[in-house]
Amino acid sequence: GAGVSQSPRYKVTKRGQDVALRCDPISGHVSLYWYRQALGQGPEFLTYFNYEAQQDKSGLPNDRFSAERPEGSISTLTIQRTEQRDSAMYRCASSPGLLEQYFGPGTRLTVT
Amino acid sequence: AQKITQTQPGMFVQEKEAVTLDCTYDTSDPSYGLFWYKQPSSGEMIFLIYQGSYDQQNATEGRYSLNFQKARKSANLVISASQLGDSAMYFCAMREGQAGTALIFGKGTTLSVSS
């Protein structure tokens, strides 16, 4: 079956612009997670959802970052007024709610 | 304090040999899960193996096994009969508490397999 998909795969934006990153989880997966991964580091948690409810957003760095999953399936991570320090790989993962998380290919964000 | 510690930035092994990648963890929660993921140069994150804190036996998945030593808080990954395709970054991760919470990742170990 289809895995987790993310779009766009690459995004270059100018400082100060808003960006929206999309995640389409594996069909039927209850939980959806967003992580950010710097080069050469492990992913760092941003936020997660069970169905449409945002359960934990403690990893969001500041109020420029927000996420939603309005119908309990596709999720969007939005970064407003982007800054160069936001440049990273943004990864989405989904889980049937029990154990392992399945990761998408990521969106490489570059803020110039 | 680091929740997940991977002390080996890089490891080198020859084909067909076994290799152990170290991981120690820190948690006071009695219920937790430990995971290993592989990240090849293509960038994808591939789930390899899982060990629950209450599991009595070490987890195994094909050539991968997890050497779980609870008292020492270690969860080392053992890859038997290494293959060239095993060359990648390997991440150890922990979930604290019940299923459905976020994973905490270590900094990773780069494994290089030579012929």
Side-chain angles (χ1 to χ4, degrees):
Chain A
V4 179
S5 62
Q6 292 185 245
S7 61
R9 294 291 308 278
Y10 302 90
K11 177 71 177 178
V12 180
T13 191
K14 289 190 189 310
R15 186 165 52 93
Q17 297 292 306
D18 297 351
V19 294
L21 312 181
R22 174 186 162 122
C23 172
D24 199 343
I26 293 172
S27 177
H29 277 196
V30 167
S31 302
L32 185 148
Y33 305 79
W34 284 99
Y35 293 85
R36 180 166 70 174
Q37 185 176 16
L39 215 56
Q41 302 290 318
E44 287 188 323
F45 168 72
L46 295 176
T47 184
Y48 94 94
F49 296 82
N50 278 343
Y51 300 102
E52 71 281 359
Q54 192 169 21
Q55 299 291 326
D56 184 351
K57 54 181 182 178
S58 62
L60 295 176
N62 51 61
D63 60 9
R64 295 186 297 105
F65 287 72
S66 63
E68 62 174 9
R69 192 186 185 198
E71 295 177 3
S73 179
I74 291 168
S75 176
T76 303
L77 177 71
T78 301
I79 310 172
Q80 295 180 309
R81 305 180 303 282
T82 51
E83 301 177 6
Q84 284 189 321
R85 60 181 170 151
D86 300 334
S87 296
M89 176 74 85
Y90 288 83
R91 293 193 182 272
C92 171
S94 72
S95 171
L98 297 175
L99 297 174
E100 64 268 24
Q101 297 177 15
Y102 296 90
F103 282 79
T107 295
R108 168 73 66 193
L109 175 66
T110 303
V111 183
T112 61
Chain B
Q2 293 275 354
K3 291 274 189 176
I4 295 286
T5 302
Q6 295 180 254
T7 57
Q8 308 153 313
M11 288 286 285
F12 298 86
V13 68
Q14 289 212 307
E15 262 188 308
K16 301 189 179 67
E17 290 184 352
V19 62
T20 299
L21 306 184
D22 294 343
C23 174
T24 57
Y25 60 92
D26 182 25
T27 181
S28 56
D29 198 316
S31 174
Y32 53 90
L34 297 156
F35 303 76
W36 278 91
Y37 283 83
K38 172 184 178 181
Q39 187 171 47
S41 56
S42 57
E44 54 194 308
M45 289 283 285
I46 303 167
F47 166 73
L48 294 178
I49 196 166
Y50 165 80
Q51 178 87 40
S53 59
Y54 295 119
D55 293 345
Q56 295 296 314
Q57 295 197 326
N58 286 344
T60 60
E61 288 286 348
R63 293 185 300 110
Y64 303 110
S65 60
L66 200 152
N67 184 0
F68 181 45
Q69 298 188 43
K70 199 168 181 176
R72 297 180 62 186
K73 293 192 173 178
S74 77
N76 298 339
L77 177 71
V78 181
I79 305 175
S80 63
S82 298
Q83 301 172 356
L84 294 178
D86 293 335
S87 294
M89 179 81 101
Y90 289 80
F91 291 102
C92 178
M94 176 174 65
R95 166 186 51 76
E96 291 180 296
Q98 298 300 311
T101 56
L103 295 179
I104 304 164
F105 285 83
K107 292 186 185 301
T109 296
T110 301
L111 175 65
S112 300
V113 181
S114 59
S115 56

